[in-house]
Amino acid sequence: MDPFSVLGCAAAILQFVEFSVKIIGSTHEIYTSQSGAAQENIRIKEVTERVKQLSQHLENNVAHHVGGYPSRTSNVIVNLAQDAQSLAEQLLRCIDSLSIGRSARFQSWEAFRKALRGYLQADHIKTLQIRLDELRSELMLHLITMISDNQSMLHRSIYDVKETCQAMRVDNIEQFLRLHEDLSKRVKTQGIELKCLLGDIQRQIAPSQSTSPTEKIREHSTTVQDLSLLVVEASKFTPKLIKILESLRFTEMPYRHDSIQEAHSNTYAWIFDENESPLARWLTGQNGIFWVNGKAGSGKSTLFKHLVHDPRSNYLLNQWAAGKKLSTASFFFWNHGNRMQKSWKGLLQSLLFQILGACPDAADRICPTRWNEVVDLHQPPPPWRSDELVSTIERAFAETADSSRFCFFIDGLDEYEGDDHFELISGIERLQGSMSAKFCVSSRPWNVFVTNFAIANVPTLVLEERTREDMAEYIRGTLEEDRRFLLLKAREDRAHELVTEIIEKANGVFLWVFLVVRELLRGLNEVDDFSTLKRRLRRLPDDLEKYFQHMLNQLDRIYQEKSARALLVAAAAWSSPPIDVLFGIQYGTSRAEFCRMAEVQAIDGPQREKLCNTVQFHLNSWCRDLLGVSRGNDYDRVEFLHRTVRDFLCTEDIWRSLGKRAGADFNPRLVLCRASLAQMTYHVHVTLDQNTSLSSTHLFKNIVLQTMYYAVEVERHDESSPVDELDELNRLCSRLRSSSWTSMVWNYTNPKVDDFITAAVACGVQLYVQEVLQRQPEKLFRKRSKCPLIDFAYIEDALQDFPTIFDKPSAMVRLLKDQAIHYDNKAEERRKKHSLWRFIKPGKGMTAKEEMQRGSREITF
């Protein structure tokens, strides 16, 4: 039963009781007024009928009560409603007996008779009045309690929806979120007033103010209901919809967007001018695909972030939408991110997440199967399949075609992880087949894009051909924000010479301009004049890779080891690592030092902020502009200046050179593995020390998978296994979640992972599996009711969103076969020495080869 319906019924009952008390309190005026009695009877009958209807409505709902207030509260109100109805009927009979009919022949005599009857019935009327007073007091107490509970529920609901929507980046209820603080204050103020009112009633004294308790209660009841209307928009995000959104959302969804630099003020203004920009003309009236292409570092991502957030984009797009609801969504491919940040599936999940956030009312029609499958809100939904995502997005376009239009901005097609970019283009072309949606995409001018977009006659914009004035605006604006430059310009105004020379050398690469301007600003620290600044400019390479090499060469030799270590760790990470990993680089990379990292993560508030600022300062000293820190909601992260920096560092020669600087014993992948283990150590200790449940199952799973991924990387690149680290991971997780923790992390695999050795086989940690089987060879055997160990080698998605080894199944199968052969050979040697061995051999007489062969795949030796 909706609590606000219960509240409405209670308010109606209170209205009736108050009115009845007034009638009884002035019986003489009623029954001595011939017309008054009839009018009051009509009013009481109307109220009585309303109470009767509401009472019946409540009785029907109590039997099927789900959610809202507990049914006990509804029953209390029903009983009060029934009591009020009974009293109303008695009151009507009494008043009828005391009223003077219009047709009475002797009205004076009739009035006398009614007055005499009123005198004789005085005790009955008084009893009725006392009962109504009691009913009123009881009802007011229940109403105050209900209103107070309603306020708590409303406040909690407002807070929960705010937190969920902020975490999920559901943007269409921003207006609701802005009202949150004001609503909370109003609810809190009303709660204080209700406590005072409750105290007055409980003390059976009149309230301190002239307003009656009933009027104040009715006023508070109305206020609560008014406040509830403000969450109507948020209520569209039902538990079912929130569950579906959670199944689509992945933690790293906003990372790339958040890390992109904002466009400098007054740049890209031309992009919205229909006379200058083909993109502006496409936004206002054309369908299909628009392609922005540009060389590396030309500013494509910055432009797309600008397009997503600048209101001029929506102004132009609304002309295309022609009165229909306009929704925009975006996705920024990121080659340095995890699989979801650079895959077709990640793109689809992100777009569908934003579509459902924009059209919550249509969610049950957009994904009906998922909607109906959400029964148990605590049960995790199955993973989405790419074909399911495509069909759901197409259904979204069809279901909202009459009311909505969608424009999608997709940046960095060249950062897609797949080898077949033609497949990516074909997928986007399929989606834009609907007249309800269009796509603006960007990439480098690779042949696959040039050829296919040309064939499809896709309108195109070459970015570096249009940004000359934007570069000039950025150079002037940035330099002239510096007081030292303004002083220099006042003495010798040759700024235009610098601007012109920088633009000519930039060759359309905005990133190069950014780096050069930073270098010139450093020159101002040395009080360079214009001539010196120009010489400094001319010494800088005009090619990005050569410029990066120049930056490496300029790093302070004192920080050579630490800078190399920081760059190697950032480049080896599957995605931007948290800033905590730099504590390990600064203080040491042994396991003991990474235990200190766990202590650092436990630091909160101003002390942690101070430590993060210190690390950021050190990072600036070590790596200059090559690495920076991006502040986020969950972690502060280490970011490369640009994708091209990582590409440069990962070239064979540069990697080898950095490895020499970092020291022969430094292993960046092992550092990352230990850093992940430090995260788990922190979360386990916090959970156990505070005797609470883990704050986030998703976070727990992510840390486990991340640690396993880095363990695989250590083995693959360094031919050694982090055995101690993986054993520690198993120990920590078992403390937190008991021995069944693997079933929770790998609940999506087939067959089901049920212990750590099966998890290691599924993830492809080959050297670790080999080490464990050498220590405990009996682990080759499993119960006959369970599938054999070798079946887990064929699981392809054990690391979920993390990259997997291409030949992992075949390599792991070879390892297990070799271990089985070795086991059987050793067993045969023992059998020859001990005739009783056949009675104690594990596996009930089955050889290790036979154990491998009982799996779902054919295995030959």
Side-chain angles (χ1 to χ4, degrees), residues 588-630:
T589 56
S590 67
R591 288 189 63 207
E593 292 298 342
F594 274 91
C595 289
R596 181 177 178 180
M597 271 187 58
E599 298 174 5
V600 168
Q601 292 184 47
I603 297 172
D604 202 0
Q607 191 176 0
R608 178 173 175 81
E609 179 70 18
K610 183 178 179 180
L611 277 172
C612 288
N613 290 335
T614 301
V615 171
Q616 184 169 1
F617 180 83
H618 286 312
L619 191 63
N620 291 336
S621 301
W622 301 345
C623 304
R624 302 293 284 265
D625 297 321
L626 293 172
L627 279 181
V629 174
S630 174

Side-chain angles (χ1 to χ4, degrees), residues 98-111:
L98 298 177
S99 299
I100 303 174
R102 290 174 179 268
S103 59
R105 295 179 60 188
F106 304 101
Q107 292 190 1
S108 298
W109 171 251
E110 190 69 13

Side-chain angles (χ1 to χ4, degrees), residues 736-774:
L736 188 64
R737 294 275 182 165
S738 77
S739 58
S740 63
W741 68 270
T742 53
S743 300
M744 187 274 292
V745 173
W746 286 279
N747 59 353
Y748 51 87
T749 61
N750 184 24
K752 296 295 184 184
V753 169
D754 54 17
D755 59 18
F756 195 57
I757 185 64
T758 57
V761 170
C763 293
V765 197
Q766 297 175 43
L767 299 181
Y768 177 77
V769 171
Q770 182 178 5
E771 171 70 19
V772 171
L773 293 179
Q774 288 174 355

Side-chain angles (χ1 to χ4, degrees), residues 247-266:
S247 71
L248 290 167
R249 179 179 177 268
F250 49 93
T251 306
E252 300 80 14
M253 189 179 284
Y255 284 1
R256 174 56 178 155
H257 167 276
D258 293 349
S259 68
I260 296 170
Q261 290 279 350
E262 300 284 348
H264 191 270
S265 59
N266 301 321

